[in-house]
Amino acid sequence: MSTECTATPLAISELLLAGDLILNLSSEVLNTLPGVMYLTEQNGQLRCSETTGQLVWQEGLTTELAGILPDHEINRVVVVCGPDSSVAEQAAAALSGANIRHLLVRLSADCDASAFMDEEDAEAVSERLRQLGYL
């Protein structure tokens, strides 16, 4: 069973639980707390590390991942991807097929506060607050 949600790179830590392993398929740097484990590759081998990193998904990774999970007390793999990533769906399907608990997180952009109100809107709101006695 696969669960999917969205988060920003800065808010990703709010979704993480103890025993999670991040599989970052995005190019974004994630804001995580010290001690969070990442799936990284070193000398052609997968490893769990507290060093942040990204991976490129390949078909054979599921088997290798299933082999290293028991050694690191990993409860769930958190697959992080961009908003339109089809590779993440392949990774999630492979993890489901291997009965590895996982969460698929699609990254979304932070909202720019200035995108909601232009200067004219801000002036109208300020004027109305003045009329009501708040300013």
Side-chain angles (χ1 to χ4, degrees), residues 8-74:
T8 64
L10 292 175
I12 191 81
S13 61
E14 295 175 17
L15 300 172
L16 301 177
L17 303 173
D20 280 352
L21 173 68
I22 296 178
L23 169 55
N24 188 3
L25 301 176
S26 77
S27 59
E28 298 288 331
V29 175
L30 305 176
N31 181 35
T32 55
L33 299 172
V36 171
M37 301 296 285
Y38 282 81
L39 187 62
T40 59
E41 186 176 14
Q42 185 175 18
N43 299 327
Q45 290 189 325
L46 289 182
R47 55 179 244 162
C48 296
S49 170
E50 290 185 26
T51 305
T52 63
Q54 294 93 12
L55 274 180
V56 175
W57 182 257
Q58 300 169 12
E59 286 300 313
L61 291 181
T62 308
T63 305
E64 195 175 345
L65 177 60
I68 65 171
L69 289 181
D71 297 337
H72 297 282
E73 299 179 19
I74 302 299

Side-chain angles (χ1 to χ4, degrees), residues 1-4 23 25 57 62 79 86-106:
M1 181 170 113
S2 179
T3 305
E4 185 174 331
L23 169 55
L25 301 176
W57 182 257
T62 308
V79 181
S86 61
V87 173
E89 290 158 358
Q90 295 171 1
L95 293 172
S96 290
N99 293 321
I100 297 173
R101 278 188 62 208
H102 62 281
L103 170 66
L104 177 57
V105 180
R106 292 193 182 275

